[in-house]
């Protein structure tokens, strides 16, 4: 039975450094079939995330060259994380509260050890809970979503 973040997370997600160029981040997304790359510091602690939407809305739509910009210039921050031992209802509540579709998972030292998406939760949570998550994350709050 799935009870904790560690039970549903995708382990060892692709991460990048703040200086990674956005074209490289986009290639990582393709290689890993994902829409978000955590940005980590030298200690593997998340300092932000870059989503496919961040790249499109903050760079490409402005006519900027993604090869000339780094993850640090485009990342969403502050980063919201959950701990590997957080119960699934707490993970869902965190995603709803912050209106995020994906959340990095950190270990006891705060290092990025996994990532959870709405789709991951859809496989383990009852339909009403997943529906509520999707509704809350998609609610218009007058800001960019990630």
């Amino acid at each position: 039975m799935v009870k904790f973040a560690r039970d549903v997370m995708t382990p060892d997600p692709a991460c990048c450094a703040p200086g990674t160029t956005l074209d490289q981040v986009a290639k990582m997304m393709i290689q890993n079939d994902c829409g978000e790359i955590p940005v980590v510091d030298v200690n593997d602690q998340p300092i932000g995330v870059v989503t496919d939407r961040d790249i499109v809305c903050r760079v490409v739509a402005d006519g900027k060259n993604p090869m000339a910009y780094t993850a640090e210039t485009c990342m969403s921050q502050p980063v919201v994380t959950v701990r590997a031992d957080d119960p699934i209802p707490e993970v869902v509540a965190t995603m709803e509260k912050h209106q995020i579709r994906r959340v990095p998972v950190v270990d006891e030292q705060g290092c990025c050890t996994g990532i959870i998406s709405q789709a991951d939760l859809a496989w383990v949570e009852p339909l009403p809970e997943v529906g509520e998550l999707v509704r809350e994350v998609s609610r218009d709050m007058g800001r960019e979503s990630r």
Side-chain angles (χ1 to χ4, degrees), residues 33-45:
D33 190 29
C34 65
E36 178 175 296
I37 302 290
V39 182
V40 297
D41 64 16
V42 295
N43 297 314
D44 286 330
Q45 295 182 337

Side-chain angles (χ1 to χ4, degrees), residues 54-109:
D54 290 335
I55 295 171
V56 171
C57 294
R58 296 178 181 169
V59 179
V60 176
D62 282 343
K64 299 173 184 171
N65 179 353
M67 290 185 274
Y69 291 86
T70 63
E72 187 172 35
T73 64
C74 179
M75 67 185 181
S76 294
Q77 59 180 354
V79 64
V80 174
T81 62
V82 296
R83 294 180 57 101
D85 58 356
D86 283 349
I88 293 299
E90 193 173 314
V91 172
V92 171
T94 297
M95 293 173 76
E96 288 177 353
K97 177 182 177 186
H98 296 280
Q99 291 190 287
I100 54 177
R101 290 172 171 77
R102 306 167 195 94
V103 63
V105 180
V106 296
D107 62 16
E108 302 80 32
Q109 291 78 38

